[in-house]
Amino acid sequence: MTAPGAVGPLGTTAPGSGSRLPPRARLRSDAKTLSLDGTWRFRLHDRAPRDEVDGVPPFAAGTDGATGPDWSDLPVPSHWVLHGHGAPAYTNIRYPFPVDPPHVPDRNPTGDHVRTVDLPDWWPAGGRTLLRLDGAESLARVWVNGRTVGWSTGSRLTTEYDVTGLLRPGANTVAIRVHQWSQGSYLEDQDQWWLPGVFRSVTLEHRPDGGLDDVFVTADRDPVTGRGTLVVETVTTATQVTVRLPETGLEARLVPGAPARVDVGTVDAWSAEEPRLHDVVIATDAETVRLRVGFRRVEVVGDRLLVNGVPLVFHGVNRHETHPDRGRVFDEDTLRTDLSLMKQHGVQAIRTAHQPPHPRFLELADEYGFWVVLECDLETHGFWEVDWSGNPSDDPAWRDAYLDRVRRTVERDKNHPSVVVWSLGNESGTGRNLAAMADWIRRRDPSRPIHYEGDTEGAYTDLYSRMYPTIEEIDSVCGDLAMPVHEVGPAAGARQRAKPFVLCEYGHAMGNGPGSLADYQDRFERWSRLHGGFVWEWRDHGLRTTTDDGVAYFGYGGDFGEPVHDGVFVMDGLVLSDGTPSPALADLGRLWAPVRFTREGSSLTVHSQRAQADTADLAVVWELRVDGRVVDGGALDVPPVRPGRDVTVALPSDAVAPRRGREAHLTLRASLRQDTVWAPRGQVVAEVQTVVEVVPPTPSARPSGVLPSAAVFDEDGALRSWHGIDVAVLVPELWRAPTENDRASGQGSYETTSPELSSGRGDESVPPSADRWRERGLDRLTHRVTAVAREGGVLVQRLRSMPAGTGSGIDSEFRWSGDGDDLRLRWSAAPVGPWDCTWPRIGLHLDLPDDLGDAVEWWGTGPHESYPDAANGVVVGRFASVVDALGVRYARPQESGHRPGLRELRIGRLAIDALRGAGVDLPGFQLARHTAQQWDRAEHPHELPASDRLHLYLDAAQHGLGSRACGPDVLPRFALWPRQVALEVVFRAVS
């Protein structure tokens, strides 16, 4: 009998039934398969049924019972909560159920999936038939024709059963019962949506007698001689195995069993930069398997991680499998789009956070060229909430479950050249079970190093890994400082510092951000033992949903009625939920470009940032812009640059000769010479802009004096209309709608202590910046005119702006004068009273009518937004847009669309020219249909009120972005502290 409170296998620590087959590689074979994907009958229970207690099967040998009001159709693969059955739930660290391992609540959503499959006439006789489940969350139990097959946990791991004796000719019934919560859920707390269901394919596969049940091929290449070796291990009952390399004509016959070595002679290396693949055919008389192998050697030598004898520096991202409509259900078109976008922006490494991906992902990673850190399906982060008490990582009762997961991870994906590091999992504390996983990997696959960030003492891993380290921590680990970065003893500290150093997570891309990516890139290039890192993360996890009125939006934690959730923290990607790239991706792409340009006079030095391939695939062009307009350009004859080397060429005289104008910029670009699998010919992969000398134009005389009659001021000296354009508000502004990094405090503040005095951690007792700003009233300035005067032809208005209930503020001076037929404003401001916090911004807010139109043109930086610590991906030029495209539609409205360095702006019939001079720098601008305060109050874009106004912000300065939602605060040199500012603009009217 089943014990009270337990149903079948629930409530144990076992990973699955003994009927599961040993894990093996996913192989492309000529063996027959039959997909069971498609429409299944489905019913949902709110608790785990007990109808199979005492051995009575819950499903008959047919689908006649799968009728009635409780049953409906459901596609497989799918998550039932995305098809109207229940609701998804998001947590970051906390478990959404009591921490009572290995038990789960009685109320446990359970989905029954049933379908009939006709075994076709062509199905081979003899041999065996396997039933394969590629992914089911979280515990799946299987019946065939009413008879029990087995059960398994490990949601993102493949499970196979031998069902030969249960099948019969013609119609067969397959039933899968999936429990949302199980003992496996304690090992899958991976900062993502909890999405139950059979979300990967279900397949029947014929295994012929004498077939290749498993193949393990290690394709090694000596980086000195260039000679390749295949080490082939097979599992088969055949007496002989044939190995062929059709490309070289090599053929060898091997005895199955122990690994056999095959010398293949000189071969090209596989790398992420040149993903050279070779077809290998492995066959017995009964079955032929085809693999695409890449020859490369991965090794740790001292404190260096080498691939093909060259240090490997990861320019990587963490990637969860997520889609706004399908959840974790695989879609190849979406994956290809993502991988192409990554390659186009210099991303060449992926950490599969925090589970093995769909098997097709690795085939494409091999083909496109990515270094992959493949992570086991393991995270127990929720035990952090109970001080790691009862954490399975050090509990012998969970040892089998841990080893089961790592075996199924490694065995499935062991043949892929893109996989260069195995990762034991993520944020699971530490303990003997993790050490056992590492020991097993070393015995099974010594060709790849082992990663796990939680091994803080370096007891069982090969790499030293850190999450969200500060710049000071990096310098300490890599340099001579002795600053502690973990609470470990001297021996452990020395052991870690002797290993290759990797940032498995950094640059938290939540909302608008992250900032300071260039500072991290500087360290990647400065320190030889620092092997790069992986930005967190690739894509927002928003799920497409609608309001009661049918308005679509991307939901995050709490939008589906979850009693426990972590809100917007799931929206932390370089691309938005629908795949739209954020400006952060362009910022990163410029840092990770394959080449770097440096100009000195008429000479251009092209430096290759690559480590494995030359630049013969890239064409270089130059383009000259004068006053933002393209006036000249052409191709440059740049010979191929070897990895890590430089080539210097002469620039044409037309590219560097002084031009008549206000300013000139020389832009240099590298683009693809030929089509690739990830981009067409002409795709720009590197761009840099430098200033060229100009011959200033002779200024035309512009009479100045009386204010133009088209400017209407009120009695308080405030501009109310310009050429009939209503100006409802023109006042100073200190507030911006807080970014996610403004709102959160993953690490400490740099406002009350410097990074150098706090090991870079800042003051962790200080609330988030947004809280400090709000406490000091920066979101609610009130204004008082202190003076209005005329000084000749100049109208002067002085204004004091202060938050209610405080004694601090700013004093402003508006100086209005005529500039021919135009209107000139010089605005200056200075802090008043005591200030003890940074400012979000300092600038002017203009409230304008939306009948100006939707079209916007500007000369300045672009094409997208940028901020003091995130400005690598923009150039100076002339750009055009529409109002609603100027900002980024982040999941939660926040500061967006700021473009510094404004020279000229045109909004319909209103034009604004920005001037630069003594004490006055070029402003930034931001234009939207809502105020910063309205953005601040909305939790989703659709909650913003209807608007018939345009809100223009002209900023003298903005605060940086930082990464404090999960990483360091805004670095001090990018922080906006209260200070005196000034800007000068000219308002014009245009047709």
Side-chain angles (χ1 to χ4, degrees):
M1 296 292 291
T2 303
V7 177
L10 295 174
T12 75
T13 60
S17 63
S19 58
R20 298 177 306 153
L21 295 175
R24 64 193 183 102
R26 176 60 58 86
L27 302 170
R28 290 200 172 271
S29 160
D30 60 359
K32 299 294 186 182
T33 61
L34 181 65
S35 173
L36 302 191
D37 293 353
T39 301
W40 291 52
R41 297 292 286 166
F42 175 80
R43 68 178 174 185
L44 181 65
H45 310 272
D46 65 358
R47 59 194 297 132
R50 303 176 60 85
D51 50 9
E52 74 278 19
V53 176
D54 299 326
V56 179
F59 304 107
T63 56
D64 294 342
T67 58
D70 293 340
W71 290 90
S72 60
D73 287 344
L74 182 75
V76 169
S78 71
H79 302 282
W80 68 67
V81 294
L82 301 185
H83 290 266
H85 306 281
Y90 166 64
T91 60
N92 171 25
I93 297 174
R94 296 174 292 177
Y95 290 110
F97 46 81
V99 182
D100 182 25
H103 307 290
V104 294
D106 291 339
R107 294 190 64 83
N108 185 0
T110 297
D112 289 338
H113 308 69
V114 182
R115 71 159 292 172
T116 298
V117 56
D118 290 324
L119 211 59
D121 294 339
W122 51 260
W123 195 254
R128 297 176 299 151
T129 296
L130 310 187
L131 177 67
R132 182 172 67 239
L133 276 70
D134 280 321
E137 183 178 329
S138 69
L139 185 151
R141 313 170 67 191
V142 182
W143 292 261
V144 170
N145 293 326
R147 297 175 63 185
T148 298
V149 174
W151 65 274
S152 187
T153 58
S155 298
R156 270 69 70 175
L157 301 167
T158 297
T159 303
E160 290 184 316
Y161 303 96
D162 187 341
V163 296
T164 309
L166 304 179
L167 294 173
R168 59 197 178 200
N172 292 266
T173 300
V174 178
I176 304 174
R177 170 168 285 171
V178 178
H179 303 285
Q180 175 163 13
W181 310 123
S182 72
Q183 62 270 34
S185 303
Y186 284 99
L187 308 184
E188 296 174 5
D189 186 28
Q190 291 144 324
D191 185 14
Q192 59 186 346
W193 292 100
W194 300 88
L195 298 173
V198 182
F199 65 91
R200 287 183 184 160
S201 292
V202 184
T203 309
L204 288 175
E205 179 175 329
H206 178 252
R207 300 300 314 132
D209 293 330
L212 289 160
D213 290 331
D214 197 13
V215 174
F216 185 7
V217 174
T218 302
D220 182 60
R221 180 182 181 274
D222 189 313
V224 176
T225 66
R227 295 185 66 84
T229 303
L230 290 176
V231 179
V232 182
E233 178 183 348
T234 58
V235 176
T236 179
T237 58
T239 58
Q240 182 175 277
V241 175
T242 301
V243 178
R244 295 194 301 273
L245 257 70
E247 184 178 338
T248 65
L250 182 147
E251 182 171 319
R253 288 175 173 78
L254 310 177
V255 176
R261 299 178 65 86
V262 179
D263 185 359
V264 299
T266 303
V267 292
D268 294 331
W270 184 96
S271 73
E273 294 168 5
E274 287 186 312
R276 179 74 165 87
L277 292 171
H278 299 258
D279 292 322
V280 174
V281 179
I282 301 176
T284 67
D285 291 340
E287 183 178 14
T288 299
V289 165
R290 290 173 169 80
L291 292 85
R292 304 193 75 195
V293 306
F295 290 88
R296 85 286 181 276
R297 179 178 295 178
V298 185
E299 52 191 339
V300 173
V301 179
D303 63 359
R304 305 293 174 85
L305 173 63
L306 307 181
V307 177
N308 302 322
V310 178
L312 170 56
V313 178
F314 293 114
H315 291 165
V317 296
N318 285 276
R319 177 187 176 269
H320 272 295
E321 292 199 319
T322 183
H323 187 278
D325 303 306
R326 290 181 286 271
R328 282 187 282 278
V329 176
F330 177 73
D331 177 71
E332 182 160 329
D333 289 342
T334 299
L335 175 59
R336 284 185 177 272
T337 299
D338 280 355
L339 296 181
S340 296
L341 201 58
M342 289 180 190
K343 293 287 284 191
Q344 291 164 18
H345 290 84
V347 177
Q348 38 81 308
I350 298 171
R351 176 177 175 231
T352 66
H354 298 292
Q355 66 268 163
H358 189 280
R360 181 65 175 143
F361 166 87
L362 290 165
E363 293 179 339
L364 294 179
D366 295 342
E367 177 186 353
Y368 280 63
F370 287 95
W371 310 111
V372 174
V373 174
L374 199 145
E375 200 145 86
C376 186
D377 192 6
L378 175 65
E379 181 167 338
T380 67
H381 206 173
F383 284 90
W384 182 85
E385 295 283 333
V386 293
D387 295 325
W388 297 105
S389 175
N391 183 23
S393 294
D394 198 42
D395 184 344
W398 291 86
R399 177 185 171 91
D400 288 347
Y402 274 61
L403 289 175
D404 177 77
R405 286 176 181 252
V406 78
R407 287 173 182 144
R408 291 159 70 190
T409 296
V410 171
E411 296 291 3
R412 192 196 74 171
D413 298 330
K414 59 199 173 193
N415 291 316
H416 290 281
S418 56
V419 178
V420 292
V421 175
W422 296 116
S423 180
L424 303 181
N426 185 68
E427 292 176 321
S428 298
T430 189
R432 70 196 82 177
N433 294 335
L434 287 156
M437 294 168 70
D439 288 343
W440 183 89
I441 293 176
R442 286 196 175 89
R443 293 193 301 273
R444 181 60 175 141
D445 179 24
S447 71
R448 297 173 172 102
I450 297 170
H451 164 273
Y452 176 63
E453 184 268 347
D455 179 24
T456 57
E457 296 199 354
Y460 47 84
T461 50
D462 301 310
L463 309 176
Y464 180 32
S465 177
R466 292 281 288 116
M467 288 182 181
Y468 309 103
T470 65
I471 297 299
E472 290 71 23
E473 288 175 319
I474 293 172
D475 291 344
S476 176
V477 170
C478 297
D480 297 328
L481 295 175
M483 182 176 70
V485 294
H486 282 303
E487 292 182 1
V488 298
R495 183 165 56 244
Q496 292 289 57
R497 285 176 165 84
K499 294 179 180 179
F501 186 33
V502 175
L503 312 187
C504 66
E505 294 178 22
Y506 82 103
H508 196 256
M510 187 173 171
N512 190 349
S516 294
L517 290 173
D519 293 273
Y520 285 91
Q521 182 63 23
D522 172 74
R523 267 51 182 192
F524 296 161
E525 297 174 19
R526 177 184 304 184
W527 301 114
S528 60
R529 63 177 298 253
L530 179 57
H531 289 265
F534 299 84
V535 170
W536 186 268
E537 64 169 305
W538 174 245
R539 183 191 284 261
D540 283 0
H541 291 216
L543 296 176
R544 199 186 314 268
T545 187
T546 58
T547 66
D548 293 341
D549 298 331
V551 178
Y553 68 100
F554 294 109
Y556 48 77
D559 286 336
F560 301 93
E562 311 102 297
V564 174
H565 65 84
D566 286 300
V568 78
F569 214 77
V570 76
M571 309 298 246
D572 46 12
L574 291 165
V575 301
L576 306 186
S577 299
D578 61 359
T580 301
S582 76
L585 183 59
D587 201 57
L588 201 62
R590 290 296 175 259
L591 296 172
W592 287 351
V595 294
R596 187 165 293 167
F597 300 109
T598 305
R599 174 183 158 241
E600 292 187 11
S602 60
S603 294
L604 177 69
T605 298
V606 182
H607 174 74
S608 173
Q609 295 288 96
R610 290 175 171 169
Q612 307 269 345
D614 66 25
T615 63
D617 60 322
L618 302 181
V620 179
V621 300
W622 63 275
E623 176 186 88
L624 185 66
R625 296 182 183 184
V626 177
D627 294 345
R629 298 182 177 88
V630 177
V631 298
D632 208 346
L636 289 175
D637 184 12
V638 179
V641 187
R642 295 172 59 193
R645 301 294 182 86
D646 297 335
V647 166
T648 299
V649 298
L651 289 166
S653 59
D654 288 345
V656 294
R659 301 295 182 105
R660 184 172 296 279
R662 290 169 56 187
E663 55 184 296
H665 291 88
L666 175 65
T667 304
L668 299 148
R669 299 189 183 94
S671 60
L672 297 178
R673 291 186 183 274
Q674 304 295 335
D675 292 347
T676 69
V677 67
W678 49 268
R681 176 179 179 271
Q683 171 71 43
V684 175
V685 294
E687 182 179 52
V688 73
Q689 194 175 66
T690 66
V691 176
V692 176
E693 185 181 353
V694 294
V695 178
T698 303
S700 56
R702 297 178 61 85
S704 180
V706 298
L707 291 168
S709 59
V712 178
F713 294 85
D714 65 16
E715 61 184 9
D716 289 327
L719 180 68
R720 287 291 171 252
S721 175
W722 169 246
H723 278 274
I725 301 169
D726 168 38
V727 182
V729 171
L730 201 172
V731 295
E733 182 62 82
L734 295 178
W735 186 248
R736 72 181 185 193
T739 67
E740 305 301 346
N741 290 310
D742 294 337
R743 288 173 178 257
S745 55
Q747 293 187 22
S749 170
Y750 291 157
E751 290 196 26
T752 58
T753 187
S754 70
E756 295 80 6
L757 297 178
S758 59
S759 300
R761 295 291 300 186
D763 187 343
E764 296 181 310
S765 68
V766 173
S769 295
D771 291 355
R772 287 168 57 80
W773 296 338
R774 210 181 304 273
E775 287 170 1
R776 288 151 182 79
L778 272 62
D779 58 333
R780 57 182 191 276
L781 292 181
T782 60
H783 310 282
R784 177 172 63 88
V785 176
T786 59
V788 178
R790 287 190 177 269
E791 300 176 0
V794 178
L795 174 62
V796 180
Q797 181 200 49
R798 295 185 176 88
L799 199 68
R800 174 160 287 188
S801 304
M802 302 176 71
T806 76
S808 302
I810 58 171
D811 277 347
S812 296
E813 181 181 81
F814 293 79
R815 298 185 66 86
W816 298 99
S817 61
D819 192 341
D821 294 331
D822 302 327
L823 178 65
R824 181 185 294 239
L825 166 65
R826 180 182 175 93
W827 174 74
S828 58
V832 173
W835 283 100
D836 64 348
C837 71
T838 56
W839 286 344
R841 68 163 13 119
I842 174 66
L844 293 174
H845 171 208
L846 288 79
D847 183 334
L848 304 168
D850 70 352
D851 63 8
L852 286 173
D854 199 39
V856 184
E857 299 175 5
W858 74 98
W859 172 24
T861 59
H864 52 74
E865 65 185 39
S866 60
Y867 292 82
D869 54 355
N872 306 290
V874 297
V875 294
V876 176
R878 290 186 181 267
F879 305 96
S881 181
V882 294
V883 172
D884 291 335
L886 287 171
V888 178
R889 195 175 173 86
Y890 294 111
R892 177 160 62 182
Q894 59 194 272
E895 166 62 34
S896 173
H898 173 71
R899 289 167 171 82
L902 178 66
R903 280 81 165 166
E904 295 176 4
L905 174 66
R906 178 172 173 177
I907 313 166
R909 63 186 188 277
L910 173 65
I912 299 175
D913 296 344
L915 307 179
R916 180 163 35 191
V920 177
D921 206 352
L922 295 174
F925 86 97
Q926 182 188 71
L927 181 66
R929 300 189 187 279
H930 297 91
T931 67
Q933 286 78 5
Q934 288 173 317
W935 284 0
D936 182 20
R937 289 191 289 268
E939 292 296 315
H940 302 85
H942 68 269
E943 296 170 4
L944 290 164
S947 172
D948 61 357
R949 306 296 295 177
L950 295 177
H951 297 274
L952 172 64
Y953 292 88
L954 296 174
D955 290 324
Q958 271 238 16
H959 191 59
L961 299 176
S963 189
R964 199 182 173 196
C966 199
D969 196 5
V970 175
L971 296 182
R973 71 179 185 277
F974 301 121
L976 174 57
W977 282 96
R979 58 184 173 88
Q980 186 170 336
V981 298
L983 59 83
E984 193 162 2
V985 295
V986 174
F987 294 85
R988 295 187 291 112
V990 293
S991 301

